Amino acid sequence: MVVVYGEPNVFCKNLDDTQENWEDCLQNCLNTWSCVLVHQLTEKSCKFFTIQDVRNVKILDSSSNKKVAFKISLPTDTCPRETQAPPLFGNDSSSLIITNGEGTYYKSEVTYSPETWDYTEEINIETWDFNYGMLNCLTDIPENYVPLDITEEYPYYHKLTSPFSPGETFFMRGKTAKLGKVTTIAFLNTETSDYPLYIILNQEHDVSNNVSITIWKNNNQLLRNIPEIYPNPYGPEEDFEIRVTSTKDVATIYFNTTKIEYPLYSGVPLPNINYFVINYNGESQPNQRGELYFLGWTGDCQYLNM
């Protein structure tokens, strides 16, 4: 919590006062997931503001003796130097991602405004402005998903915006390749040319109609001399669905209802990947011809303004 001189300017008027000392007010706001601001009323009373309760705070100096405390996300555990004024410490804005613990995430962002019209005093005032958003993330393949319009030739790249951490889920729908061709699903770090997980659906003749799973480092060094081979639950040109989730040590791969537990290698961390790539192994291969209908993961998120 960052304490500064100020008072709420645009806010919900029907919020109740809380009868407790200032230190308890600060601690209770910090411990309450939805609290973004607390305003000191007296030495033994305060008012809590949760998401969307407050829109801006009037900036005051120490002579006012009116205090507010922002819940701010600081880059380190060390308080910023006082040469930059709180609560933004020289930054244009400060964002806080908060969750209700049930899978819904919210963004609270504070920015500085040098000119906000005060309708009471009919003058421009300096304020800290709040903006809120809700973070919507994919949790599964949408029932009414729009098939991907892939105009370029494979390979198809899907860039990750955050680590593919343990507990995240990758999901894809597509069609297997023709007889004699393959479909590849690469979990790739393009910066190091590592494949923490590389899956091949072989649509060859009966003796090699299988699923091959490998791990590669530096593009050419295969960490296991013999790929892990599993029965292929699909025939050529057949619709399929794949899901991949993991712990730190094991990837769990589902082809529809077929489940494969595949041990990972600590030297090639799965969270370090930056792309999912379909039909790829360093270059576009003529025999890689699986089709992609939809691809997503639980890290695909979008903010919606509130």
Side-chain angles (χ1 to χ4, degrees), residues 255-296:
F255 293 106
N256 291 6
T257 58
T258 299
K259 177 181 177 182
I260 296 173
E261 297 281 355
Y262 186 76
L264 299 171
Y265 178 72
S266 60
V268 188
L270 190 57
N272 287 0
I273 65 172
N274 57 356
Y275 283 96
F276 302 121
V277 192
I278 308 304
N279 293 338
Y280 172 90
N281 68 343
E283 61 184 51
S284 181
Q285 296 293 315
N287 69 330
Q288 297 189 24
R289 285 293 180 267
E291 294 184 32
L292 173 61
Y293 299 159
F294 181 86
L295 185 154

Side-chain angles (χ1 to χ4, degrees), residues 62-78:
S62 58
S63 63
S64 70
N65 206 32
K66 295 179 179 179
K67 295 180 181 179
V68 292
F70 292 81
K71 186 186 286 185
I72 294 291
S73 179
L74 298 175
T76 68
D77 293 334
T78 304

Side-chain angles (χ1 to χ4, degrees), residues 3-298:
V3 181
V4 292
Y5 292 102
E7 64 178 347
N9 183 56
V10 178
F11 60 95
C12 294
K13 303 296 184 179
N14 57 349
L15 299 175
D16 294 332
D17 300 348
T18 300
Q19 303 302 311
E20 51 190 315
N21 65 56
W22 182 233
E23 292 301 322
D24 288 340
C25 290
L26 296 177
Q27 190 62 48
N28 287 338
C29 183
L30 185 64
N31 294 339
T32 303
W33 75 268
S34 58
C35 183
V36 295
L37 183 82
V38 59
H39 178 214
Q40 184 181 34
L41 301 176
T42 67
E43 288 297 325
K44 294 186 177 180
S45 67
C46 64
K47 191 185 293 287
F48 293 102
F49 296 86
T50 58
I51 297 167
Q52 290 190 289
D53 285 343
V54 59
R55 284 296 172 179
N56 63 46
V57 173
K58 184 178 181 180
I59 299 175
L60 302 174
D61 57 35
S62 58
S63 63
S64 70
N65 206 32
K66 295 179 179 179
K67 295 180 181 179
V68 292
F70 292 81
K71 186 186 286 185
I72 294 291
S73 179
L74 298 175
T76 68
D77 293 334
T78 304
C79 289
R81 295 181 178 179
E82 294 182 358
T83 53
Q84 300 289 347
L88 300 182
F89 300 102
N91 297 312
D92 294 332
S93 65
S94 177
S95 298
L96 181 70
I97 304 297
I98 49 183
T99 177
N100 60 3
E102 299 177 356
T104 301
Y105 291 81
Y106 299 88
K107 178 181 178 181
S108 172
E109 183 177 51
V110 181
T111 58
Y112 166 72
S113 175
E115 293 186 354
T116 298
W117 185 253
D118 187 318
Y119 290 95
T120 302
E121 299 184 16
E122 295 188 343
I123 57 172
N124 279 323
I125 58 174
E126 292 181 284
T127 60
W128 293 295
D129 296 342
F130 280 86
N131 292 289
Y132 305 100
M134 180 179 291
L135 183 62
N136 282 352
C137 300
L138 284 177
T139 58
D140 206 340
I141 300 173
E143 293 183 3
N144 58 344
Y145 73 88
V146 178
L148 291 169
D149 181 16
I150 301 175
T151 55
E152 298 181 1
E153 293 184 1
Y154 290 114
Y156 176 86
Y157 292 81
H158 185 92
K159 185 174 177 61
L160 281 72
T161 56
S162 59
F164 186 70
S165 302
E168 298 280 7
T169 301
F170 162 90
F171 29 76
M172 168 188 164
R173 280 185 183 165
K175 179 184 287 187
T176 57
K178 296 179 180 179
L179 184 64
K181 306 295 183 180
V182 302
T183 306
T184 63
I185 303 160
F187 291 63
L188 174 64
N189 184 333
T190 57
E191 297 176 359
T192 59
S193 297
D194 290 347
Y195 302 78
L197 195 62
Y198 185 71
I199 303 168
I200 303 176
L201 288 170
N202 292 294
Q203 307 302 152
E204 304 290 344
H205 299 291
D206 292 341
V207 293
S208 58
N209 189 61
N210 55 45
V211 176
S212 169
I213 305 178
T214 55
I215 296 174
W216 291 68
K217 185 175 179 63
N218 298 330
N219 200 32
N220 292 314
Q221 181 182 348
L222 182 62
L223 296 178
R224 294 181 183 138
N225 292 328
I226 302 175
E228 298 287 342
I229 302 298
Y230 304 88
N232 190 346
Y234 308 106
E237 298 182 89
E238 185 175 326
D239 289 344
F240 76 97
E241 182 177 302
I242 177 176
R243 297 167 186 268
V244 179
T245 187
S246 73
T247 64
K248 180 181 178 181
D249 303 313
V250 177
T252 303
I253 305 165
Y254 294 91
F255 293 106
N256 291 6
T257 58
T258 299
K259 177 181 177 182
I260 296 173
E261 297 281 355
Y262 186 76
L264 299 171
Y265 178 72
S266 60
V268 188
L270 190 57
N272 287 0
I273 65 172
N274 57 356
Y275 283 96
F276 302 121
V277 192
I278 308 304
N279 293 338
Y280 172 90
N281 68 343
E283 61 184 51
S284 181
Q285 296 293 315
N287 69 330
Q288 297 189 24
R289 285 293 180 267
E291 294 184 32
L292 173 61
Y293 299 159
F294 181 86
L295 185 154
W297 67 297
T298 48

